[in-house]
Amino acid sequence: MSRVKIAFVGCGPMAAVYADRLKRHNDVELVGCHDMDADHAASFAASMHIPVFNDVVALYETGRPHAVYITVPPHARGDIELEATRRGIHFFLDVPIAS
C-alpha cells in the first residue's frame, strides 16, 4: 500500500492537532516540518518523530511531500503556497485565509 506523504509549515498548536489525527492512519507518513521559530519546529518535530527543515524549499525537495499543511498567519503566506504549486504539491490552508 502506498502512503500519502504529509509535511507541515507552521508548527504551532493547530499543526499538532492535525498531525495527531493524521499519524493515526497507516496510509499517512509525516515527512518533515518547518517553522520560522526554531523552538516551535524542534518541539513539534520531536513530538512527531520527524525532521526539521530550515526552509520551505529544503522541506519540499528533501521531504518530497504529496501535500503540506500550512498553519501560519495570513501575513506569512504567499511564497509557501506558490512554491508548493510550482512543485505540484497539494496544500491545506488553516483558517483564516486572510485577515
Side-chain angles (χ1 to χ4, degrees), residues 8-55:
F8 284 84
V9 176
C11 298
M14 284 313 301
V17 169
Y18 298 132
D20 280 336
R21 291 177 181 162
L22 287 168
K23 71 181 184 178
R24 296 178 194 165
H25 298 273
N26 293 330
D27 57 349
V28 172
E29 177 182 1
L30 305 183
V31 296
C33 66
H34 167 71
D35 194 293
M36 294 301 294
D37 183 316
D39 291 335
H40 279 150
S43 176
F44 180 83
S47 69
M48 297 299 152
H49 308 289
I50 58 175
V52 174
F53 292 88
N54 292 329
D55 59 58

